[in-house]
Amino acid sequence: MANIHPSALIEDGAILGAGVEIGPFCFVGRGVRLGDGVKLQSHVVVMGNAEIGSETELWPHAVLGGSAQYRAESTQDDTIRVGANNVIREFVTINCGTQKGGGITEVGDGCYLMASSHIGHDCHIGNNVTLTNGVGLAGHVTVGDNVIIGGLTAVLQFVRIGHDAFVGGMSGLTTDVIPYGLAQGPRAYLQGLNLIGLKRKKIPRERIHTLRGAYRDLFHGSAPFSERVEVAKGRWNDSPEVNEIISFIEAKAKRPICVPETVLEKPSDG
């Protein structure tokens, strides 16, 4: 049985799971589905074809399911899907997908989206992602599991951030960050590996040493980047973490790979 404040507006057609709580002055549109135990604190707007997973909590003035901030005309079929056990803080905005971009914006489970962070149309966000205050993700951004993005960081369209990466606060990210990477800066460069994240993930010390060796092969040296990739692929092919990084680098993508500032030859656009 849902617990709905008298001042909340729930349109006919909205589907509410067991134990949903909807606080004062919230709006839930006709195409919305709220999973069991979802909590809307107050002044929350959920509209469009939005699906919110169980036990997710939305804080005041969050707006989910608004049309894409996109000049081309959008359709009523565009969607957002948010997983379970997320915390979505004050003034967070998540826009629907567009038909051109696949029609859906997705957020995984267990994410923590801090105040005033924004997820643009057609983004795909993994599990246990943390967006700190004021982070802005433009359209079509892909973020892997366990990524942390520091406050006031802006991420360009079509950028990929590999799983377990860390992006420092007040960065401008225009290139793809490898899994386990650490990037930071006004025009962000790769600073190294996210060693704290690797330790939190309980990656054994010897495998971290392997990753560091592969990182040196990939991002330092005078050979062309494509040759360094082949060297790392052959030398460290027994490492699952290195293979993940190589696969990420070799994937067809719209943005180049984020590299250290001291690297003379930067990978070209894919």
Side-chain angles (χ1 to χ4, degrees):
M1 189 79 181
N3 181 7
I4 303 173
H5 193 276
S7 65
L9 175 57
I10 315 298
E11 290 191 331
D12 292 340
I15 299 174
L16 309 182
V20 165
E21 297 182 36
I22 300 178
F25 304 106
C26 292
F27 171 80
V28 178
R30 62 178 57 88
V32 171
R33 288 161 289 172
L34 302 181
D36 295 347
V38 168
K39 182 176 182 180
L40 280 55
Q41 288 201 2
S42 74
H43 299 83
V44 174
V45 175
V46 187
M47 65 179 81
N49 296 313
E51 179 180 342
I52 312 299
S54 62
E55 306 299 331
T56 288
E57 182 175 9
L58 285 76
W59 286 57
H61 302 287
V63 180
L64 277 66
S67 297
Q69 296 177 83
Y70 181 68
R71 286 181 178 271
E73 185 177 354
S74 186
T75 72
Q76 294 181 350
D77 294 330
D78 298 337
T79 301
I80 71 164
R81 183 181 299 130
V82 175
N85 298 297
N86 294 291
V87 176
I88 300 176
R89 293 298 300 257
E90 299 87 348
F91 295 98
V92 168
T93 52
I94 305 177
N95 291 163
C96 285
T98 64
Q99 292 302 300
K100 185 176 179 180
I104 187 168
T105 301
E106 295 181 300
V107 177
D109 301 331
C111 297
Y112 200 109
L113 312 181
M114 296 189 193
S116 299
S117 54
H118 170 70
I119 297 176
H121 61 85
D122 304 296
C123 286
H124 298 275
I125 312 301
N127 301 316
N128 302 309
V129 169
T130 301
L131 303 185
T132 315
N133 301 70
V135 167
L137 305 184
H140 309 280
V141 170
T142 301
V143 179
D145 294 346
N146 308 312
V147 166
I148 298 174
I149 304 179
L152 302 177
T153 289
V155 182
L156 188 66
Q157 293 93 337
F158 295 102
V159 161
R160 299 176 300 146
I161 304 175
H163 65 81
D164 297 284
F166 182 94
V167 181
M170 300 182 69
S171 295
L173 187 60
T174 62
T175 51
D176 292 347
V177 179
I178 59 171
Y180 310 108
L182 171 62
Q184 188 171 11
R187 284 290 184 265
Y189 288 100
L190 193 63
Q191 307 289 329
L193 293 170
N194 180 16
L195 296 177
I196 293 175
L198 286 164
K199 292 173 183 176
R200 285 176 177 169
K201 199 173 179 180
K202 296 182 169 45
I203 300 293
R205 181 184 296 271
E206 61 273 14
R207 285 163 59 184
I208 293 177
H209 287 323
T210 296
L211 263 175
R212 296 179 77 171
Y215 181 90
R216 288 191 293 271
D217 281 349
L218 285 167
F219 296 109
H220 297 283
S222 57
F225 185 72
S226 59
E227 292 183 16
R228 284 182 264 140
V229 170
E230 291 302 316
V231 168
K233 191 189 301 185
R235 182 174 293 169
W236 310 102
N237 62 355
D238 291 335
S239 167
E241 290 82 18
V242 175
N243 287 331
E244 289 167 351
I245 292 173
I246 297 296
S247 295
F248 184 92
I249 290 171
E250 293 185 329
K252 185 177 180 180
K254 292 182 178 289
R255 300 295 177 199
I257 296 295
C258 187
V259 297
E261 187 173 9
T262 55
V263 173
L264 296 179
E265 188 221 354
K266 296 178 174 59
S268 61
D269 289 293

